[in-house]
Amino acid sequence: MDLFSRSWTALRAAVAEIPDRDFARPSGCAGWLVRDLVCHLVIDAQDVLITLATPAATEPTVDAVTYWHVEDRPPTGEDPLDALTVRLAAAYGDPHLLRFHLDDVGSAAGRAAQLADPRARVGTRDEVLTVSEYLGAYVLEWTLHHLDLIAHLPDARTLPPEEGLARSRAMLEKIAGTAFPTSFTDQDALLVGTGRSTPTGAQRTELRDAAVRFPLSLG
């Protein structure tokens, strides 16, 4: 749960540092600008609040790893919910309003996570898992989206915590059912493994030798 808080704090700090002009730059998410991704983070924060307020009485059905589904194809930005996110982001107009909303809702989500009982069970997406496992799943979400946020922002100062990168890599390897080559940095493994960057020829060969299926599109 501590890693959830550190990853989320770093991501919100990175958003707070972005100059207004850079909200119109592309993000690492296909079809989304930086402002669209920030709007998605607002929705994510709302989901965290909703889930932590949705207790479940039955046994857990998933954990932090099995919470994630591997989709048949990577996102294109054409999904109806993705399209709605783009329209919502544009409606903010002034990037200051979007920053303010993320800080407001995001701070509340962070506090709710710190106050939650890690052993309690919650329900989301028709599944049940403990609070600890749910927040653990979001370490991967925050880390990937932090990399998405700064993908085309060379002046970004706040980077994902190293522990979050390492934990996210380990989770992605469990989802893939195999380890990425040791020559890959944690960031390489996450970006190449999820199709966010194109592997070099040497990396492609190493992935093939390691029998790593990629890219993995998570949902």
Side-chain angles (χ1 to χ4, degrees):
M1 293 177 68
D2 178 60
L3 192 50
F4 168 94
S5 296
R6 281 186 283 149
S7 299
W8 185 221
T9 298
L11 179 50
R12 288 188 291 119
V15 171
E17 295 168 355
I18 300 173
D20 288 0
R21 64 181 182 276
D22 287 344
F23 273 67
R25 285 179 178 262
S27 77
C29 290
W32 277 4
L33 303 176
V34 166
R35 71 182 186 192
D36 304 326
L37 175 56
V38 175
C39 186
H40 172 74
L41 295 178
V42 172
I43 296 171
D44 266 354
Q46 292 171 339
D47 284 345
V48 169
L49 285 168
I50 292 168
T51 299
L52 292 179
T54 307
T58 57
E59 291 296 316
T61 56
V62 293
D63 59 22
V65 172
T66 55
Y67 170 88
W68 294 103
H69 303 144
V70 178
E71 305 292 346
D72 295 335
R73 61 188 182 92
T76 62
E78 297 174 357
D79 177 84
L81 183 56
D82 290 346
L84 174 61
T85 300
V86 172
R87 293 198 297 274
L88 285 173
Y92 277 91
D94 185 347
H96 168 74
L97 297 175
L98 191 49
R99 278 198 214 90
F100 174 81
H101 197 183
L102 177 63
D103 183 63
D104 193 34
V105 180
S107 295
R111 287 192 298 272
Q114 291 176 333
L115 293 171
D117 179 354
R119 298 165 298 179
R121 299 167 190 169
V122 292
T124 182
R125 305 201 309 185
D126 296 322
E127 302 283 5
V128 174
L129 67 172
T130 66
V131 166
S132 178
E133 292 293 328
Y134 173 68
L135 297 180
Y138 259 83
V139 171
L140 178 57
E141 174 86 353
W142 300 150
T143 302
L144 287 174
H145 281 330
H146 198 146
L147 295 175
D148 290 332
L149 183 76
I150 64 176
H152 302 286
L153 302 178
D155 296 328
R157 298 191 304 274
T158 301
L159 305 178
E162 292 184 4
E163 299 93 333
L165 289 167
R167 176 73 63 81
S168 296
R169 177 190 184 142
M171 292 175 65
L172 191 63
E173 288 179 337
K174 287 184 179 180
I175 295 168
T178 188
F180 288 90
T182 55
S183 64
F184 280 45
T185 65
D186 294 337
Q187 183 167 319
D188 285 342
L190 292 169
L191 293 177
V192 172
T194 59
R196 285 168 162 82
S197 66
T198 303
T200 65
Q203 287 177 329
R204 190 178 296 275
T205 298
E206 287 189 272
L207 287 168
R208 186 166 55 247
D209 291 344
V212 177
R213 175 194 168 195
F214 76 96
L216 296 170
S217 298
L218 304 181

